[in-house]
Amino acid sequence: MEDLRAFDHTEDGMDARTETVRDRNWKGQGVEQAMISGGQRGVRSRTGRPTARDVAREAGVSPTAVSFVLTGTHPEKVSAATRKRVLEAVERLGYRPNRVARSLRTHRTGAIGVLLTDIKHPLLARTVSGIQQVARQYGYHVVLHNTSFNPEAEREALQFLADLLVDGIIFVSTSTWGDDSVLLEWTQTPLVLINRALSESIPVPSSLPRVRVDYRAGAKEAVLHLVEQGCRRIAYVGAVLTGPGASLAATERYGGYRDALAEAGLPYLPELVHISSSSRPGWDDGAEAVERFLAYGFDGLYAVNDYAAAGAIGRLLRGGLRVPQDVAVVGNDNTEVASHHSPQITSVDPNWEEAGAVALRLLQSMLDGKEKACESTRGASGEAGTTRDGASTGRDGVVAVRPKLVVRESSRRVG
Amino acid sequence: MEDLRAFDHTEDGMDARTETVRDRNWKGQGVEQAMISGGQRGVRSRTGRPTARDVAREAGVSPTAVSFVLTGTHPEKVSAATRKRVLEAVERLGYRPNRVARSLRTHRTGAIGVLLTDIKHPLLARTVSGIQQVARQYGYHVVLHNTSFNPEAEREALQFLADLLVDGIIFVSTSTWGDDSVLLEWTQTPLVLINRALSESIPVPSSLPRVRVDYRAGAKEAVLHLVEQGCRRIAYVGAVLTGPGASLAATERYGGYRDALAEAGLPYLPELVHISSSSRPGWDDGAEAVERFLAYGFDGLYAVNDYAAAGAIGRLLRGGLRVPQDVAVVGNDNTEVASHHSPQITSVDPNWEEAGAVALRLLQSMLDGKEKACESTRGASGEAGTTRDGASTGRDGVVAVRPKLVVRESSRRVG
DNA sequence: GTGAAAGCGCTAACAC
DNA sequence: GTGTTAGCGCTTTCAC
């Protein structure tokens, strides 16, 4: 019986006509491929790819043995000889397991869904990169979804990923929108948030695991670096702090600036603070600010992004001042400009790459926890206290990632 | 019998003990969720999600009817009353089809795999964005894979995507590596290449569909724009043309510069051409070039990227020249600097977003073709002559996407 | 129009 | 250790 089946294409109670029709609908070349590539062995499923059963037949063993060998489970239940025959058959047939079928059976896809607001945002791209690096380590694959700042699309994408049965979801965002109820109620698939501030209005201090970049610490480090370089009158160029354009990042960076001054025992000089009217200050803001500061005298400047820093440097140079000798400058975000500018600009790298990595490790620990103990309902976030460099678990189980300073010419004073 | 099953959790010949063990391994909370959320109806599969059969039971119809309603196939085979009952049951149960199971059956996943060398590259990110926009239209979803310039990872990722049974694959790359044999032999899943130059050494003019960005046309357009603005002595700042750092992009842009001069009837002035020693000229190259050009006099400048353009502008301004009145400047890539600089820089947008969109449309036509006619083996690329704005099918079926010029202050002369 | 039943390709419990 | 077998949740033929 076994042997008979191996050479019969139309068995399994399916007649030839039926098979042709279905193949046409599904994979097109299925039949031809089976004829051509599989001809010698005569074994190829109707999809054009050999199946585990084909391997079993080829090796002369049972599907069970094939499964055990390939998944590595129950290694004690398969003899060395069997294993060898299976592996050889796999090699001979060029067999690759069908992951869809496997997922249907195991309810695990080995994929992590990543939801983000905008793939074109350089910082988010870095986060994805960080996630992907860790994913590779853990053997996960990444399914990416762009929501383009559209709340409706966010909801939809979340559902889609759940339908796809991804093992976990990471939601990366730069901004907040109003209604977080979807996220709070989300119980279908383990979820980790990156920089997704939950509306303050919601009273429930949710146990939803979150990772955030510590803007405040980054700004503080930048300013303290300037202090270290000998600066005593340090100016600040920042984004709007109140009104519609205000952001958490802006507030925190301003706070970090003041923190640093306080820590260094330097006075806060309002005349050296320039708050842009925009949420994202640019070249002009930097230049304008310098123009104004020049009257008061200053020897250091921290700008909340690299464009403003570049603008400031441009204005300083045109004014005949030297950077960093007369004024040392530090930017923020460590974007391409920072390294491409001349002089190269010292900049705070937000470390979003690390944020991605941390988030995935967090997710991993949730998945692990889930597999081991049924009773742990949701808050596996506690487990993640074991964070690595630059990340620390704070109140509410929110993990904060520390930005790191990349020192370049614009602030490096010899000695 | 139907009714009995609906309230019996341990039917299907599976005893209670077995079910518990499996649930623990698979989904963790499955059992609890079934108790809580599904308690009122008593119907929930062991994964915690209602299944199509649950819907059928709830609606009092057969699974067939549910399937027909939900997939929209055979609309004539389902009565209005049945449809209504099904939809209501779906709503009541919060049913969502399991895409994995569906894929296993239909051999279509509705997902497109995108392979790229580096997500952090801003231009590639734009391509992904372009792909994703069209994907949304077509109802496809995108699975992204980063290969980090690692040929081995590329091979692996290609296989992984094929194993996942994505419906098609788009391979986006900025650079070339040696061995393209994998790509040429690739027959498993429909594949489209973006900017993936095949090694010249391979003799077979493969029918593999490809999309490329027409660097030459972009450069030409930039220079012709300068001519239009009244420039007659137009300088060029470009990347290395020969040796290890040389790239197709560099050669083509240089060619486009010369094309434009020729077309405008302007002489080629070697003293106004600065070829950087690097494959990616920067700020300094722009500044240096200007320094040299000043001796000869010039009224326009095209730089192959925005950083070089910014450097050139910086040097010009410091030299007391006005931009664009004395010298009009155009950059390339339309990166963030271009719009953030002051003055804002006119730049050639490589239109990678469109390249992504075109690639997916190409893929779509291949998939369509496959479904309709079995005999079309591979080269559905011919079909894609029906391209849209900015794209044209060239020799070898390679589709070229035209970059487009974004005009800003640095080159806009009033009148 | 409706329902029963047969699998897609894989895993794993259970009997040998 | 090995093979038989029963499904995962869905689609779709075929008989009513």
Side-chain angles (χ1 to χ4, degrees):
Chain A
M1 181 56 182
E2 271 305 295
D3 289 332
L4 207 147
R5 294 178 116 195
F7 293 96
D8 184 1
H9 244 76
T10 60
E11 43 81 71
D12 282 350
M14 196 189 237
D15 69 22
R17 200 192 113 263
T18 307
E19 183 170 9
T20 308
V21 170
R22 294 171 89 183
D23 259 298
R24 191 162 287 164
N25 286 339
W26 294 346
K27 265 275 172 174
Q29 313 171 35
V31 180
E32 292 83 68
Q33 276 198 7
M35 301 285 197
I36 299 163
S37 339
Q40 29 174 330
R41 310 237 146 264
V43 210
R44 223 72 163 192
S45 96
R46 52 189 61 64
T47 71
R49 287 169 67 129
T51 73
R53 237 174 60 188
D54 293 334
V55 174
R57 281 202 278 254
E58 171 78 15
V61 301
S62 77
T64 312
V66 176
S67 178
F68 282 173
V69 170
L70 262 41
T71 58
T73 51
H74 306 281
E76 77 286 1
K77 292 205 160 194
V78 56
S79 69
T82 304
R83 158 171 288 107
K84 185 157 168 277
R85 302 189 63 176
V86 168
L87 292 178
E88 280 171 1
V90 163
E91 185 69 26
R92 243 180 346 254
L93 260 47
Y95 169 77
R96 310 223 83 217
N98 179 330
R99 296 186 68 111
V100 173
R102 179 177 283 180
S103 295
L104 180 59
R105 195 62 238 255
T106 61
H107 286 214
R108 298 191 70 263
T109 51
I112 295 294
V114 173
L115 224 65
L116 35 71
T117 45
D118 180 21
I119 180 71
K120 285 181 285 185
H121 194 299
L123 298 182
L124 293 191
R126 287 196 224 168
T127 308
V128 175
S129 180
I131 293 172
Q132 240 152 359
Q133 273 166 33
V134 179
R136 206 179 163 72
Q137 268 174 41
Y138 289 174
Y140 281 121
H141 293 273
V142 172
V143 180
L144 200 78
H145 242 254
N146 220 349
T147 61
S148 332
F149 298 102
N150 177 353
E152 195 45 49
E154 285 187 353
R155 259 188 53 85
E156 235 176 65
L158 214 56
Q159 266 300 350
F160 169 72
L161 290 173
D163 294 348
L164 250 191
L165 303 190
V166 293
D167 297 339
I169 298 178
I170 298 179
F171 190 158
V172 200
S173 168
T174 34
S175 59
T176 317
W177 39 266
D179 182 19
D180 290 308
S181 49
V182 199
L183 296 180
L184 290 172
E185 287 162 14
W186 189 259
T187 51
Q188 298 192 40
T189 308
L191 176 67
V192 174
L193 262 40
I194 300 186
N195 254 45
R196 187 73 174 66
L198 290 170
S199 339
E200 297 290 327
S201 57
I202 295 182
V204 197
S206 160
S207 62
L208 197 58
R210 273 166 295 169
V211 177
R212 67 180 189 89
V213 167
D214 193 344
Y215 300 120
R216 187 165 189 142
K220 183 175 171 188
E221 188 175 351
V223 176
L224 285 178
H225 162 75
L226 287 171
V227 172
E228 241 171 59
Q229 301 296 309
C231 303
R232 287 300 167 265
R233 294 177 61 84
I234 300 171
Y236 177 83
V237 179
V240 63
L241 293 173
T242 53
S247 69
L248 188 68
T251 314
E252 292 224 314
R253 292 207 181 104
Y254 177 69
Y257 167 67
R258 301 202 61 162
D259 286 354
L261 291 184
E263 187 165 318
L266 295 174
Y268 172 74
L269 308 168
E271 66 271 24
L272 290 184
V273 171
H274 175 95
I275 303 295
S276 162
S277 57
S278 136
S279 63
R280 234 187 135 192
W283 191 280
D284 293 332
D285 286 289
E288 267 173 45
V290 165
E291 193 114 15
R292 192 154 66 76
F293 298 159
L294 284 173
Y296 304 102
F298 66 116
D299 53 7
L301 182 147
Y302 164 63
V304 297
N305 71 47
D306 296 327
Y307 295 106
I313 292 176
R315 185 65 191 77
L316 284 166
L317 296 179
R318 211 168 307 158
L321 288 164
R322 294 165 307 163
V323 174
Q325 294 86 344
D326 298 319
V327 178
V329 177
V330 177
N332 204 99
D333 290 356
N334 195 23
T335 40
E336 275 198 321
V337 228
S339 51
H340 283 75
H341 196 271
S342 177
Q344 296 197 335
I345 306 173
T346 295
S347 189
V348 177
D349 188 311
N351 219 355
W352 280 65
E353 206 145 355
E354 176 68 14
V358 167
L360 187 43
R361 285 192 214 109
L362 216 61
L363 198 56
Q364 168 65 36
S365 77
M366 289 174 74
L367 295 173
D368 263 6
K370 222 179 180 182
E371 215 153 274
K372 274 175 205 142
C374 249
E375 60 269 26
S376 84
T377 327
R378 181 66 167 284
S381 59
E383 269 201 61
T386 59
T387 46
R388 311 203 330 193
D389 62 321
S392 62
T393 310
R395 53 180 173 74
D396 296 347
V398 177
V399 180
V401 172
R402 274 187 75 86
K404 56 184 182 203
L405 192 69
V406 180
V407 179
R408 300 204 183 84
E409 299 171 47
S410 73
S411 78
R412 189 157 34 209
R413 292 175 168 173
V414 275
Chain B
M1 180 55 181
E2 273 303 296
D3 288 332
L4 207 148
R5 296 177 116 197
F7 293 95
D8 184 2
H9 245 76
T10 60
E11 42 80 73
D12 282 349
M14 196 186 235
D15 68 24
R17 200 193 112 262
T18 307
E19 184 170 9
T20 308
V21 170
R22 294 169 92 181
D23 258 298
R24 190 162 287 165
N25 286 338
W26 293 346
K27 265 276 172 174
Q29 312 170 38
V31 179
E32 292 84 68
Q33 276 198 6
M35 301 284 197
I36 299 162
S37 339
Q40 28 174 331
R41 312 237 148 264
V43 210
R44 223 72 164 191
S45 96
R46 53 187 62 63
T47 70
R49 287 169 67 128
T51 72
R53 236 174 60 187
D54 293 333
V55 174
R57 281 201 279 254
E58 172 78 14
V61 301
S62 77
T64 313
V66 175
S67 179
F68 282 173
V69 170
L70 262 42
T71 56
T73 50
H74 306 279
E76 76 284 1
K77 292 206 160 193
V78 55
S79 69
T82 304
R83 158 171 291 108
K84 184 156 169 280
R85 302 187 64 177
V86 168
L87 292 178
E88 280 171 2
V90 163
E91 186 69 25
R92 241 178 351 251
L93 260 46
Y95 168 77
R96 311 224 83 218
N98 179 330
R99 297 186 66 110
V100 174
R102 180 177 281 179
S103 295
L104 182 59
R105 194 62 240 258
T106 60
H107 287 213
R108 299 191 69 262
T109 51
I112 294 294
V114 172
L115 223 65
L116 35 70
T117 46
D118 179 22
I119 181 71
K120 284 181 286 186
H121 195 300
L123 298 182
L124 293 191
R126 286 196 225 168
T127 308
V128 175
S129 180
I131 292 173
Q132 240 152 359
Q133 272 167 33
V134 179
R136 206 177 164 73
Q137 270 174 41
Y138 289 174
Y140 281 121
H141 293 274
V142 172
V143 180
L144 200 78
H145 242 253
N146 219 349
T147 61
S148 331
F149 299 102
N150 177 353
E152 194 46 48
E154 286 187 352
R155 258 188 52 85
E156 236 176 64
L158 214 56
Q159 266 300 350
F160 168 72
L161 290 173
D163 294 348
L164 251 190
L165 304 190
V166 294
D167 297 340
I169 298 177
I170 298 180
F171 190 159
V172 199
S173 166
T174 34
S175 58
T176 318
W177 40 267
D179 183 18
D180 291 306
S181 49
V182 199
L183 295 180
L184 290 172
E185 286 162 14
W186 189 259
T187 51
Q188 297 192 39
T189 308
L191 177 68
V192 174
L193 263 41
I194 301 185
N195 255 44
R196 188 70 174 66
L198 291 170
S199 341
E200 297 290 326
S201 57
I202 295 182
V204 197
S206 160
S207 63
L208 196 58
R210 273 166 295 170
V211 176
R212 67 181 191 88
V213 168
D214 194 343
Y215 300 120
R216 187 164 189 141
K220 184 175 169 187
E221 188 175 351
V223 176
L224 285 178
H225 163 74
L226 287 171
V227 173
E228 243 169 59
Q229 300 297 309
C231 303
R232 287 299 168 266
R233 295 178 60 84
I234 300 171
Y236 176 83
V237 180
V240 64
L241 292 174
T242 52
S247 70
L248 187 68
T251 314
E252 292 224 314
R253 292 206 180 103
Y254 178 68
Y257 168 67
R258 301 202 60 163
D259 286 354
L261 292 184
E263 187 165 319
L266 295 173
Y268 172 74
L269 307 167
E271 67 271 23
L272 289 184
V273 171
H274 175 94
I275 302 296
S276 162
S277 57
S278 136
S279 63
R280 236 189 134 191
W283 193 279
D284 293 332
D285 286 288
E288 266 173 46
V290 165
E291 193 115 16
R292 193 155 65 75
F293 298 159
L294 285 172
Y296 303 103
F298 66 117
D299 53 7
L301 182 146
Y302 165 63
V304 296
N305 71 47
D306 295 328
Y307 295 106
I313 291 176
R315 184 65 191 76
L316 284 165
L317 295 179
R318 210 169 309 159
L321 288 165
R322 294 165 307 164
V323 174
Q325 294 85 343
D326 298 319
V327 179
V329 176
V330 176
N332 204 100
D333 290 356
N334 194 23
T335 41
E336 274 199 323
V337 229
S339 52
H340 283 75
H341 196 270
S342 177
Q344 296 197 336
I345 305 174
T346 296
S347 188
V348 177
D349 189 311
N351 220 352
W352 280 65
E353 206 145 355
E354 176 68 14
V358 167
L360 186 45
R361 286 193 212 108
L362 217 59
L363 198 56
Q364 168 65 37
S365 76
M366 289 173 74
L367 295 173
D368 263 6
K370 223 178 178 181
E371 216 154 272
K372 275 175 206 142
C374 247
E375 59 269 28
S376 85
T377 326
R378 182 66 167 286
S381 59
E383 269 200 62
T386 60
T387 46
R388 311 204 327 194
D389 62 323
S392 62
T393 311
R395 51 179 175 76
D396 296 346
V398 177
V399 179
V401 172
R402 275 186 74 87
K404 55 182 183 205
L405 191 69
V406 180
V407 179
R408 300 204 183 84
E409 299 171 47
S410 74
S411 77
R412 189 159 32 210
R413 292 174 170 173
V414 274

